Amino acid sequence: MITFIKGSVVELSPAAVVVEAYGVGYELVISLNTYTELKKKPENVLIYTYHHVREDAEILYGFAGKNERELFRLLITVNGIGPSSAISMLSGLDSRELSKAILNENVNALKAIKGIGAKTAQRIILDLKDKIGNDDKEYLNSDLPVNNIKNEALSALEVLGIPKKFAEPIVQQQLNESPQSTVEELIKLTLKKK
């Protein structure tokens, strides 16, 4: 399975991108939010992918970040929402706004997206509200760069055998005292307290 593609943007439109990686051009269907991100830095891009196979075609979908791809994967589990509809939704709202709309049961925000009616919006909320877990809620309500550093540090500490429930309060306290802490500093500090 293709998880990501790293390379240079050869062609870019609001609906698709062609990325050249090691002499091969990959065409990916993208959202407007991914398009905006790719316009900022077309060289040496990393695009997360989802490979969709159907009877008559194989399509690669591309995402600027993991959160957008995970939300896409959740959306296509909803009855009546296919990959095209999911990309449309992610073009209408970024992944953070869309997740907030689902968590807050904001039917109007979802209905504002082209092609999404009231019944579909309610079905999305019903099916996905419980699937957006506590980690996602934390991501939605916090400062994104600090939260990414926190999550990276906690993931690395788990790999090192430090339980999350032990490490999280230490990491959070350090970030509260010094928001500019690096991942390495957070890991070292937590390991010293073990």
Side-chain angles (χ1 to χ4, degrees):
M1 186 56 71
I2 300 170
T3 297
F4 66 83
I5 296 172
K6 189 174 185 180
S8 296
V9 173
V10 177
E11 295 175 25
L12 181 62
S13 74
V17 63
V18 175
V19 178
E20 188 269 325
Y22 301 104
V24 178
Y26 296 91
E27 183 178 25
L28 300 104
V29 175
I30 58 173
S31 70
L32 284 175
N33 293 306
T34 295
Y35 168 75
T36 302
E37 289 301 313
L38 293 177
K39 273 181 68 176
K40 293 177 187 174
K41 183 186 162 209
E43 296 297 317
N44 200 25
V45 296
L46 177 76
I47 301 177
Y48 295 95
T49 61
Y50 177 83
H51 185 196
H52 182 70
V53 180
R54 59 181 205 218
E55 247 179 62
D56 59 340
E58 290 188 34
I59 303 168
L60 272 177
Y61 291 89
F63 308 94
K66 284 184 179 180
N67 288 321
E68 186 179 32
R69 180 178 64 183
E70 293 316 308
L71 188 53
F72 173 86
R73 285 179 172 163
L74 284 174
L75 286 167
I76 61 175
T77 65
V78 176
N79 189 23
I81 301 290
S84 295
S85 297
I87 284 290
S88 211
M89 292 182 75
L90 289 164
S91 292
L93 297 171
D94 68 31
S95 57
R96 197 175 217 176
E97 294 167 335
L98 190 52
S99 295
K100 276 186 178 180
I102 293 166
L103 284 170
N104 295 332
E105 300 182 26
N106 190 343
V107 173
N108 290 331
L110 296 177
K111 279 181 13 185
I113 300 167
K114 186 178 184 233
I116 304 298
K119 286 183 181 179
T120 304
Q122 289 168 346
R123 188 177 323 119
I124 291 166
I125 291 167
L126 183 66
D127 287 2
L128 300 185
K129 186 170 183 189
D130 294 334
K131 291 182 182 176
I132 296 177
N134 289 329
D135 290 343
D136 297 312
K137 290 174 187 169
E138 188 176 303
Y139 153 76
L140 293 169
N141 295 322
S142 65
D143 184 31
L144 187 57
V146 171
N147 197 52
N148 281 345
I149 289 169
K150 178 182 174 183
N151 287 339
E152 282 183 46
L154 291 173
S155 294
L157 287 162
E158 280 186 293
V159 169
L160 295 171
I162 309 297
K164 185 176 179 178
K165 65 181 175 181
F166 171 82
E168 192 165 18
I170 297 168
V171 168
Q172 188 60 57
Q173 181 182 357
Q174 178 62 23
L175 284 171
N176 290 344
E177 293 171 7
S178 178
Q180 302 305 323
S181 298
T182 65
V183 172
E184 294 80 13
E185 290 169 342
L186 294 171
I187 292 169
K188 287 178 185 176
L189 178 75
T190 306
L191 290 173
K192 285 179 186 175
K193 295 196 177 189
K194 175 82 172 93

